[in-house]
Amino acid sequence: MIRLRIKRDVNLSQKEVATVIGGSQSNLAKWEKEKLHPPADMVIKLADFFGVSTDYLLGRTDELDDLILNKPILTKEENSLITLYRNMNNEQKARLVAYGEGIVSGNVRKS
């Protein structure tokens, strides 16, 4: 048993959750329908993402105290940035991070 239906409580699609945790939408659907069991690393990523314990996700506890659903959820723009970042090579990632740090510190020249 895996409690993935909590994603509906935070208004996210399977594809959005899959993108953030680095999985596939089809596997997420299979996990929800209990046609396939997720590997341990994905259970951990899901628990971290939703702010719940792995025991809660696996049905080992019903304690609502384990839920931390007031954790901020990524916006579509944040998900888009993550997807872009994951599709970059290491040099592109380093340039993006440096550029972002420059923006935050105010050291980026305006064109």
Side-chain angles (χ1 to χ4, degrees), residues 25-36:
Q25 184 270 328
S26 62
N27 278 346
L28 199 61
K30 291 174 186 172
W31 299 340
E32 279 191 13
K33 295 177 183 175
E34 297 184 21
K35 292 184 178 185
L36 182 69

Side-chain angles (χ1 to χ4, degrees), residues 29-99:
K30 291 174 186 172
W31 299 340
E32 279 191 13
K33 295 177 183 175
E34 297 184 21
K35 292 184 178 185
L36 182 69
H37 295 289
D41 64 319
M42 286 295 166
V43 173
I44 292 167
K45 287 179 182 183
L46 286 164
D48 288 346
F49 177 73
F50 286 114
V52 298
S53 69
T54 54
D55 280 350
Y56 179 82
L57 272 184
L58 296 170
R60 294 180 54 157
T61 183
D62 289 325
E63 294 295 319
L64 292 178
D65 292 337
D66 291 346
L67 287 173
I68 312 169
L69 289 176
N70 58 358
K71 171 183 168 182
I73 301 298
L74 297 176
T75 65
K76 288 187 185 230
E77 292 84 6
E78 290 167 329
N79 282 329
S80 294
L81 284 171
I82 290 168
T83 300
L84 286 171
Y85 183 83
R86 287 182 177 163
N87 289 318
M88 293 178 180
N89 64 37
N90 287 339
E91 180 185 339
Q92 292 168 324
K93 288 176 181 178
R95 287 175 38 208
L96 177 65
V97 169
Y99 183 72

